[in-house]
Amino acid sequence: MAALSVQLLRNEEELSVVRTPVKTDERRPGETEWLRGYDCDEQGDFERAVTFYRQSAAKKYRSAYVNLGNLLDKSDNPLRQKEAVYWYKRAFREGAKAGAWNLAMHYRNRGVRRWYLHWLSRAAEMGEEDAIKALKQMKQTGRSMRKSN
């Protein structure tokens, strides 16, 4: 079976997955583990996906940071959610605009207005299209986020 590389491509509002054959010796450190994690994630085996993404992240494969954060953020366990923030910030520090965007969404979903706006602005500064749209819409409506009780 040929090795595959996975790319997520943004087309309008839809993300699509493109798999292209790659020779095993051409892979970057951590890519094999990321691909295994991605496959487990797609199959709904989230615990195994977390394990593979952790292995990939340990090899400094940047895509694993965001994927790992996303899986951990879905958890009901506050410690896992805290770890998700760590991985999002690590991705952001290494230049991934998805890290800033996911931090904004993390805080929005928890009703933490200050940090939502902070990370939304950082994502927009990095060129994240959804963040730019959200800020533009806020300016037009004069609302930044409903205040939580």
Side-chain angles (χ1 to χ4, degrees), residues 78-137:
L79 292 176
R80 280 193 155 198
Q81 292 172 2
K82 186 175 181 178
E83 186 182 354
V85 169
Y86 166 82
W87 289 110
Y88 291 150
K89 286 182 179 179
R90 187 160 175 188
F92 165 75
R93 284 192 305 270
E94 294 197 19
K97 59 188 174 184
W101 171 254
N102 287 346
L103 280 162
M105 296 301 97
H106 172 86
Y107 288 112
R108 183 196 69 183
N109 294 338
R110 284 151 186 82
V112 184
R113 184 174 186 248
R114 175 179 182 243
W115 289 111
Y116 165 64
L117 294 173
H118 171 79
W119 289 108
L120 190 65
S121 296
R122 298 301 295 265
E125 289 168 5
M126 296 175 84
E128 171 56 53
E129 292 177 28
D130 292 328
I132 294 167
K133 287 178 191 177
L135 286 173
K136 189 175 182 179
Q137 184 178 22

Side-chain angles (χ1 to χ4, degrees), residues 44-58:
D45 189 350
F46 301 119
E47 290 305 316
R48 283 192 68 215
V50 166
T51 299
F52 284 119
Y53 286 146
R54 283 186 203 281
Q55 291 171 4
S56 180

Side-chain angles (χ1 to χ4, degrees), residues 2-146:
L4 299 173
S5 175
V6 176
Q7 283 185 308
L8 293 178
L9 300 177
R10 185 179 296 242
N11 179 12
E12 307 264 336
E13 294 296 318
E14 181 179 313
L15 290 177
S16 57
V17 177
V18 177
R19 291 178 174 252
T20 51
V22 172
K23 292 180 183 175
T24 304
D25 58 338
E26 292 177 5
R27 290 197 181 144
R28 294 175 296 179
E31 187 174 0
T32 299
E33 294 82 358
W34 184 87
L35 287 167
R36 288 179 180 155
Y38 181 85
D39 287 339
C40 290
D41 193 356
E42 286 292 302
Q43 295 168 10
D45 189 350
F46 301 119
E47 290 305 316
R48 283 192 68 215
V50 166
T51 299
F52 284 119
Y53 286 146
R54 283 186 203 281
Q55 291 171 4
S56 180
K59 295 180 180 181
K60 300 184 187 218
Y61 192 70
R62 192 172 73 177
S63 296
Y65 302 161
V66 173
N67 290 66
L68 181 54
N70 287 339
L71 286 180
L72 295 170
D73 210 10
K74 293 176 189 176
S75 173
D76 291 333
N77 181 338
L79 292 176
R80 280 193 155 198
Q81 292 172 2
K82 186 175 181 178
E83 186 182 354
V85 169
Y86 166 82
W87 289 110
Y88 291 150
K89 286 182 179 179
R90 187 160 175 188
F92 165 75
R93 284 192 305 270
E94 294 197 19
K97 59 188 174 184
W101 171 254
N102 287 346
L103 280 162
M105 296 301 97
H106 172 86
Y107 288 112
R108 183 196 69 183
N109 294 338
R110 284 151 186 82
V112 184
R113 184 174 186 248
R114 175 179 182 243
W115 289 111
Y116 165 64
L117 294 173
H118 171 79
W119 289 108
L120 190 65
S121 296
R122 298 301 295 265
E125 289 168 5
M126 296 175 84
E128 171 56 53
E129 292 177 28
D130 292 328
I132 294 167
K133 287 178 191 177
L135 286 173
K136 189 175 182 179
Q137 184 178 22
M138 282 183 219
K139 287 180 183 178
Q140 290 173 346
T141 63
R143 292 176 19 184
S144 58
M145 186 174 122
R146 290 183 188 152

